[in-house]
Amino acid sequence: MSSSTDRRNVAVGPRNGGAAVKGVIQKVHSPNQSLNDPSEEDVQAFLIDKDQLHTFDDLTKVNPVTPTTVLKCLQARYSLKVFYTHAGCTLVALNPFQPIPDLYSVDVMREYHCASQPQEFKPHIFIVAEEAYRNVQGQLEPVNQSLVVSGESGAGKTWTSRCLMKYYATVAASSSANRSQDTVERIEKRVLDSNPLMEAFGNACTLRNNNSSRFGKYIQLQLDRGQLLVGASVQTYLLEKTRVACQPANERNFHIFYQMMKGATDEQRKDWKMPHNQCFLWLPNCEKQIEEDSFHETVEAMVHLGINPESQRQIFRILAGILHLGNVSFCSSTNEAQPCDLVEHSEDFLRRAGELLGVPAEELHRCLRVRTLKAGKQNVLKPCSQAECGVRRDCMAKLIYGQLFEWLVTFINSCICADQSKWCNFIGVLDVYGFECFQINNLEQLCINYVNEKLQQHFVAHYLRAQQEEYVLEGLEWSFVKYQDNQSCLDLLEGSPISVFSLLNEESRLNRASDSKALKGRLEKELGGNGNICWDKFSKVPHFTVTHYAGKVSYQLEGMVEKNKDPVPPELIGLLQKSDNLLLHEIFSDKESEIPNNKGLSKVTVVSKFKNSLENLMKLLLTTAPHYTRCIKPNSDCRPLTFKNKEVISQLEACGIVETIHISAAGFPIRIPLKSFLQRYELIGKYSASGRLDVDSDADGTNILQQEVEKLLKVVLQHNVSCDERRSLVHCGRTKVFLTQPMLDLLEDHRKKILSRCAFTIQCCWLRYQRRRHLARRQSATLIQAAVRSWLVRKQIQRWNGAATVIQNSWKKWRALLKSLAEAELDDARDLVEEDTPALNPVVRERGSVQLSSFQEPVPVRGWPMGLALASAPSITVSLTATGFQKMISVMTSLNLPSRRGEYKVATNQYKQGLASIRAQPRGSVKLHYQRSPLLYADMQPDLKSDVTGFNEILLEKTL
């Protein structure tokens, strides 16, 4: 089973029901055909083709259905290492007794989980798990699911339950998107780690099974509305505490003791006072090696569940104390008035047990040898006999181990159980002890087989009987299939007013020593007329034999009453309450109220408590949708791939597999109320391809609802289907619609197609709306952007205009200032008369005119702002004025005058060169004023050695 093509069937038939829907519906069985008694010729004709027997992955396809044909099909498949086969509503699982690689890998789990039709794959336990997972939020109202795993001891129930839990922990957490991955891993890891821890403390190696469950458990896997695993809870039933102090021949104690012996370190052994060569009476067959002896795995599970190292140390010290207590033995005292003495070497074990359990060795010694009796208001101490001392020792060991197991279950639930507000549905996995029949059977086997009788009755009542009765009430043409009803056996065990349990409880409540022969006499007297109980008159051992659904089992009466009483001496509880071991003190601190009420509590027997807890379990199962898995043990020797016909066929007949196949092949496993059917599938009529069909799902009245259902069925079955073929697929009853699995798949396929079309239409409308909305938003955004840009441009232009205005005003003011300065510097001819020259304006004198003196070195002459005077002698003054910017630049650039006394550099503060007008006054008056300066055409760089020509010569001829 390495690929999907290997798991996928080539020709897919129906899981349930008698037809297959693949385009054209074909009928496989008619209801009456499968119910007729087949002839020997039909059986031989079916078995003659041996090469095709392994192809029947669903036994409802077998025709004829007999124990022989079913057995041969299972044997053929088992020889090819195919271990799962559908049998109608039940999955048959054959134990291979060896590891099968890749059969339960994570990839296989996800492949079954992601498949649209898991039924198209080969039968597997994961198909049952996936059906339950999908049915939680399935076709109709969410319903809690239960997976009932049953079978004999060693058939593989514990392994199957472990695979189911691993499957849900994988697929129910893999799609988590809302929670952190650490949270998901923590939840699924803790749920999975609860298994090895509980198996270590509750499972043991027996003659039939190396990992036999010695307690029952119902695990609720809690799912939220998104079908994600958010937690789990564990309920346990009847731990076999007697195994701690009494192990049947060739069997072992609980796994945890052997794990400690084989996996502990030297430091731990020193702490537990368990040297390597130490032997314990309560650890038989210690040399046997099995896979479950993994101490490291148990410790790792404790760590993941949150048990701190100190609590782990206290747990292992308690277990070691129990083992040391088992090596304490007593011998009779020579004086009957004195308590019993300890045998040789027992004192050391007693001291170690007291130290490990945290109680004084002297008080422990006294409590085991002396009991306290109440005589009125006084307490009387009475020495115990040798047998009573052994019973009190065993009682103490069983009490401690039982309470420790309950504490572990409570702690596990506190770690993995989610708050009620976080989950809404659950999937329950029921794993109980299998049917047992040993050479010596006592109260434990009676209770275990009683559980299996109740589960078998649940299957009979829920499927074999209830379905057939419902077919008749709903008006279906049905011929009853005979089946084995175990109700008479249950009446024998638990019936009212007289039953085995009632007589056993009555004997246990009597304040006297039990007498097995007297109990046998009462059973014969009261229940002698019941056909399910008998006695071997030639046997000297008191016993009774019960005919169970799986066979006859003989139970010994010796010690059964004492086990049912399960007495707990109050002085032992008082001693354990004083323990220095904090965990042991915590466990027994709540038992304080039980001491004074011991007389009343003795009326609550083991059978009464177990029966009440089992009734609560059955009530819980009735509120869920069950899924059955029948585990079959191919051989009693646990040899790999060995198939023994007699053993297998006895199990098939006991659990009613053949009858189940008959009813599944001819019946209708799916039943839906009319109104619910219309509410779910009315859209098929509204959106059918042949035209709209109005279906009123709110109609009242049975006849009207039936008519509406018929309309829908005509739309779905629009092909050429005969009446017989239609009856084999679907039947409309008085209050319900009865469907086969192929018909349900066809309806769901139509519904999915219509929902897909509607979803596509909704998506198109939504995308169109989104596109239009996007376009409108884009247009609006463009308009807003344009408005903002225009506003920004206007604001910028306004700033530019303001700045230009400021510049223009400043420039106009500057021009006016320059003009006024130029006009102030210009004068008339009469102003040149020296004696008549008026005083210059101080501002003009300061800024425009500079008097030059005679200097030996060339000096720069600067005029501010535009005036400039040049002279070759102090008596000569040259003034420069300007009326135009260009004139000033031209004159200042071209003026580079040579002199006999040196050269003068002309520069201004505002410009590097240029002037507008020149006024010079040698002996005579020379005045130059022009509008267009001729200096534009002057020599810009005249040679200093050459003769002065041009305008400079004209200007300065008299000066030079």
Side-chain angles (χ1 to χ4, degrees), residues 699-766:
D700 295 329
T702 303
N703 295 332
I704 299 177
L705 290 175
Q706 288 177 343
Q707 294 175 5
E708 300 296 330
V709 170
E710 291 293 343
K711 291 180 183 179
L712 272 179
L713 295 177
K714 288 180 181 179
V715 173
V716 177
L717 300 173
Q718 53 188 343
H719 302 287
N720 296 327
V721 180
S722 63
C723 295
D724 292 339
E725 292 173 340
R726 184 183 183 279
R727 283 197 296 268
S728 65
L729 290 171
V730 60
H731 181 85
C732 183
R734 293 187 177 94
T735 61
K736 295 180 181 180
V737 180
F738 294 85
L739 306 168
T740 58
Q741 187 65 41
M743 186 63 195
L744 180 64
D745 295 339
L746 184 62
L747 285 168
E748 287 296 315
D749 185 56
H750 274 266
R751 185 173 181 270
K752 287 180 180 179
K753 289 180 180 179
I754 292 174
L755 289 177
S756 298
R757 291 202 303 266
C758 295
F760 179 74
T761 303
I762 294 173
Q763 289 174 354
C764 291
C765 295
W766 174 250

Side-chain angles (χ1 to χ4, degrees), residues 934-951:
L935 294 180
L936 293 174
Y937 309 100
D939 187 3
M940 302 294 292
Q941 297 291 335
D943 189 4
L944 297 179
K945 296 181 180 181
S946 63
D947 296 334
V948 178
T949 59
F951 178 73

Side-chain angles (χ1 to χ4, degrees), residues 211-225:
N211 191 29
S212 177
S213 297
R214 309 319 299 167
F215 72 106
K217 64 176 179 290
Y218 184 72
I219 304 172
Q220 287 186 352
L221 302 174
Q222 300 160 347
L223 306 175
D224 61 6
R225 296 187 181 276

Side-chain angles (χ1 to χ4, degrees), residues 12 247 285 428 525 588 674 744 762 804 856 859 897 905-906:
V12 180
Q247 303 80 35
N285 303 314
K525 179 181 178 181
F588 284 93
L674 296 176
L744 180 64
I762 294 173
Q856 296 298 327
V859 295
L897 304 176
K905 185 178 179 180
V906 179

